[in-house]
């Protein structure tokens, strides 16, 4: 009963914000809602765009929330246990298997597990921590795919001592304080009777061994930090928030445990004139008055180069022309999105005398002079009309 009260107290004292609150979502939000909220907030707080104090921290907070809620298994664990599901693994970093079970969470809160054994004495193989790397790529690289080289700083097993922390030619010795058990026990008298308090040995910190002659390379830690260059294959069609896992490229495990993973989080720089919505691409394209009235064969840019688009006679400003299959490739299935071309009519700012004469003669033959019932819609108005939001 006392343990349950202690657990409730620790949880109440947690200051970490709720992931749903960070993204401004309810707990029943769909994956599309989560992705849309992340894209909006990531653009708002991206350090390259927002120079305000605190923007970078908010960006990291938003990315962390997305990395958990966008993954079905991580989200299920978070919905059940909250932030305690990721104690010791780093938010949004480990695979679901790296979160640990509830016994691990209990041990991290109280320092002892259900068995009464100190968590610091778990000397078996343990998986290394996962790492996170944020990679910015261009719009073209995102839609076509690219190979990138990244440099990651991580801990690696010391090559001199092979990870045991002792100078070559020497060996760790059994701890005299705990006699190799890694824990010390104290008996306390309480109103409930005698209680045994098991804690991690302060001398060997639970290892059961002490290093009398530390390795000169790692100073007894068994690990050294190195910078490692890695090649990352970015598939065509990735978008903001896409995660690419490099298995075994995280921090090394301990006591022979496997290494963690490296997660590369993709951020995409905006294009100068293309706008992306899902796997569809939108483009605003201007024609002159004669082309809009008489029709024309336009050569419009696509993500694969210029292509011919027929502009019918009498095209009105704001007309949307679809170009099927000219959008972004789908990442996990065949096919591509579409491109939508929003046509604007360019009005000349100045005319020469011959052009003025021709327009005056044309104006006399046209009906509806002075009418202004049709207002040109902007590029973003057309987007809103098309998607209904």
């Amino acid at each position: 009963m006392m343990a349950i009260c202690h657990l409730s107290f620790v949880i109440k004292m947690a200051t970490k914000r709720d992931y749903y609150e960070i993204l401004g979502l309810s707990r029943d939000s769909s994956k599309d809602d989560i992705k849309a909220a992340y894209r909006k907030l990531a653009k708002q707080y991206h350090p390259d765009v927002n120079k305000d104090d605190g923007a970078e921290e908010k960006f990291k907070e938003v990315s962390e929330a997305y990395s958990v809620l966008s993954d079905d298994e991580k989200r299920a664990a978070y919905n059940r246990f909250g932030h305690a599901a990721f104690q010791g693994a780093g938010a949004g970093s480990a695979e679901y298997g790296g979160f640990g079970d509830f016994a691990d969470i209990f041990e991290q809160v109280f320092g002892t597990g259900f068995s009464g054994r100190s968590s610091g004495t778990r000397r078996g193989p343990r998986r290394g921590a996962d790492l996170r790397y944020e990679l910015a790529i261009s719009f073209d690289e995102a839609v076509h795919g690219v190979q990138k080289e990244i440099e990651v700083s991580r801990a690696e097993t010391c090559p001199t001592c092979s990870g045991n922390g002792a100078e070559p030619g020497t060996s760790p010795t059994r701890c005299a304080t705990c006699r190799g058990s890694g824990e010390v026990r104290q008996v306390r008298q309480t109103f409930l009777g005698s209680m045994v308090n098991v804690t991690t040995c302060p001398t060997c910190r639970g290892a059961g061994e002490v290093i009398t002659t530390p390795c000169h390379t790692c100073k007894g830690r068994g690990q050294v930090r190195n910078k490692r260059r890695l090649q990352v294959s970015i598939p065509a069609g990735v978008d903001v928030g896409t995660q690419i896992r490099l298995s075994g490229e995280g921090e090394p495990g301990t006591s022979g445990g496997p290494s963690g993973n490296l997660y590369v989080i993709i951020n995409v720089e905006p294009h100068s004139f293309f706008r992306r919505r899902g796997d569809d691409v939108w483009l605003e394209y201007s024609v002159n008055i004669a082309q809009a009235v008489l029709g024309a064969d336009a050569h419009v840019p696509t993500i694969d180069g210029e292509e011919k688009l027929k502009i019918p006679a009498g095209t009105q400003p704001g007309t949307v022309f679809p170009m099927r299959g000219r959008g972004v490739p789908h990442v996990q299935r065949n096919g591509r999105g579409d491109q939508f071309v929003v046509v604007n009519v360019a009005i000349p700012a100045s005319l020469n005398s011959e052009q003025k004469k021709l327009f005056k003669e044309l104006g006399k033959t046209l009906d509806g002079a002075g009418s202004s019932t049709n207002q040109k819609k902007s590029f973003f108005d057309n987007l809103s009309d098309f998607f209904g939001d």
Side-chain angles (χ1 to χ4, degrees), residues 233-276:
S233 180
I234 310 295
V238 298
D239 203 354
V240 174
T242 298
Q243 298 186 44
I244 298 174
R245 184 181 67 185
L246 301 183
S247 299
E249 296 295 348
E251 300 280 11
T254 57
S255 302
S259 297
N261 299 323
L262 170 64
Y263 289 86
V264 179
I265 314 300
I266 301 298
N267 287 311
V268 182
E269 299 169 352
H271 196 274
S272 57
F273 50 82
F274 286 126
R275 297 292 180 268
R276 179 174 175 176

Side-chain angles (χ1 to χ4, degrees), residues 11-177:
I11 294 174
K12 289 179 181 179
M13 291 299 292
T15 59
K16 201 173 184 69
R17 290 180 63 197
D18 180 76
Y19 287 148
Y20 291 99
E21 177 187 345
I22 291 171
L23 297 181
L25 299 170
S26 61
R27 300 187 78 84
D28 59 352
S29 298
S30 67
K31 296 190 76 170
D32 289 339
D33 293 335
I34 293 170
K35 185 174 183 180
Y38 172 73
R39 291 182 64 186
K40 177 182 177 182
L41 294 172
K43 290 178 180 179
Q44 178 180 350
Y45 294 118
H46 196 286
D48 292 341
V49 177
N50 192 329
K51 303 300 183 181
D52 293 343
D53 292 340
E56 183 175 356
E57 288 302 317
K58 289 182 179 178
F59 178 78
K60 292 179 179 178
E61 187 180 48
V62 167
S63 298
E64 178 181 315
Y66 176 77
S67 69
V68 171
L69 299 185
S70 62
D71 185 286
D72 291 338
E73 291 184 345
K74 294 179 185 178
R75 184 179 181 183
Y78 178 73
N79 287 343
R80 187 176 182 186
F81 298 118
H83 293 294
F86 315 116
Q87 287 282 341
S93 60
E95 296 177 281
Y96 182 68
F99 292 156
D101 55 22
F102 189 75
D104 290 334
I105 299 170
F106 192 92
E107 287 187 15
Q108 288 160 4
V109 173
F110 292 103
T112 58
F114 292 117
S115 64
R117 182 174 175 84
S118 171
S119 63
T121 65
R122 297 173 60 193
R123 298 164 57 190
R126 299 193 68 179
R127 182 179 179 274
D130 292 322
L131 295 178
R132 178 188 180 92
Y133 185 96
E134 293 189 6
L135 177 63
I137 61 176
S138 69
F139 181 91
D140 290 334
E141 290 172 334
V143 299
H144 293 116
V146 67
Q147 287 283 335
K148 285 285 189 179
E149 184 179 76
I150 63 175
E151 186 177 82
V152 180
S153 176
R154 69 178 189 184
E156 296 182 350
T157 300
C158 176
T160 303
C161 65
S162 300
N164 70 3
E167 183 70 15
T170 68
S171 300
T173 59
R174 190 174 71 165
C175 176
T177 302

